[in-house]
Amino acid sequence: LTLIRRYWSHDERGILTAQTNVASCLGDLGRHDEALVLKREIYARRVAMGSAADSIVRAGGNLSSSLTTAGRFAEAKTLLRDELLPMARQSLGPTHGFCMDIEEWLVEALRMDPNATRDDLREAETIMQDVLQRRRRVFGPAHPSTAWCEGELARVREALAIRAQVNAGESKASPQS
């Protein structure tokens, strides 16, 4: 990164690519807070530069993944729902891999949030069913992304079942008026 900045300081895209690699390494090393700071910077620069939609969506996806890992679910959901998903749908189309990735990351953030409501989990299930249908149509049933979607849909349904059991237990425990 230092060499790129020194010798190719005019190559902003190259610098952002190197920073993305550094942020990924930091995350792999468990240094999530440092990775998160760098990913925020990368995403902001991509947006400010007016990069291509796929580059912005990729940088935003990396940021949302770090936000989810850091337990910042509300921020991740807002980024995915309000910024990335509309951009991906409009510029890439609903059957583009990045668009479906964004929806899958939203589902993950909804499912992993310890404060997720039953409505959140139902929303996640609906989104995942739709994405799975598109993945099967676009990539086929044997594609690894399709298999991952099937697994994620099962995890969402499991979370819904657990939520229903917890709610049923709370109903039985509360006194009747």
Side-chain angles (χ1 to χ4, degrees):
L1 182 57
T2 302
L3 289 174
I4 291 173
R5 284 186 173 145
R6 180 182 301 156
Y7 295 110
W8 297 282
S9 60
H10 61 282
D11 184 9
E12 180 108 21
R13 285 181 175 77
I15 291 170
L16 289 173
T17 299
Q19 285 179 311
T20 300
N21 293 335
V22 169
S24 293
C25 289
L26 289 168
D28 290 345
L29 293 169
R31 296 166 59 179
H32 300 294
D33 291 338
E34 292 171 83
L36 184 56
V37 169
L38 198 49
K39 287 179 183 182
R40 283 183 197 277
E41 181 182 318
I42 294 163
Y43 176 68
R45 284 298 307 140
R46 290 265 184 214
V47 170
M49 287 172 50
S51 294
D54 62 333
S55 294
I56 294 172
V57 168
R58 187 179 308 116
N62 289 338
L63 174 57
S64 74
S65 178
S66 287
L67 289 167
T68 300
T69 299
R72 298 179 182 192
F73 300 106
E75 194 175 348
K77 290 184 282 189
T78 299
L79 174 65
L80 291 161
R81 254 194 207 118
D82 299 346
E83 294 180 40
L84 299 177
L85 192 52
M87 178 187 297
R89 283 181 178 153
Q90 181 181 8
S91 57
L92 304 173
T95 58
H96 192 283
F98 283 160
C99 187
M100 289 185 275
D101 289 345
I102 294 298
E103 290 172 291
E104 291 166 6
W105 294 328
L106 176 57
V107 166
E108 261 190 321
L110 287 165
R111 178 182 56 81
M112 293 174 67
D113 186 349
N115 298 317
T117 65
R118 230 172 136 190
D119 288 340
D120 290 336
L121 294 173
R122 283 190 188 124
E123 177 188 3
E125 181 182 35
T126 301
I127 293 168
M128 202 72 248
Q129 287 172 327
D130 181 52
V131 172
L132 178 57
Q133 185 178 34
R134 282 183 279 145
R135 288 271 188 205
R136 284 180 177 148
R137 188 176 63 248
V138 174
F139 297 114
H143 192 275
S145 294
T146 304
W148 186 90
C149 283
E150 290 168 346
E152 182 62 17
L153 181 57
R155 288 184 288 277
V156 168
R157 288 179 172 157
E158 182 181 333
L160 262 169
I162 290 169
R163 178 68 53 156
Q165 288 174 345
V166 168
N167 288 349
E170 289 173 357
S171 296
K172 289 178 185 177
S174 65
Q176 299 288 328
S177 312

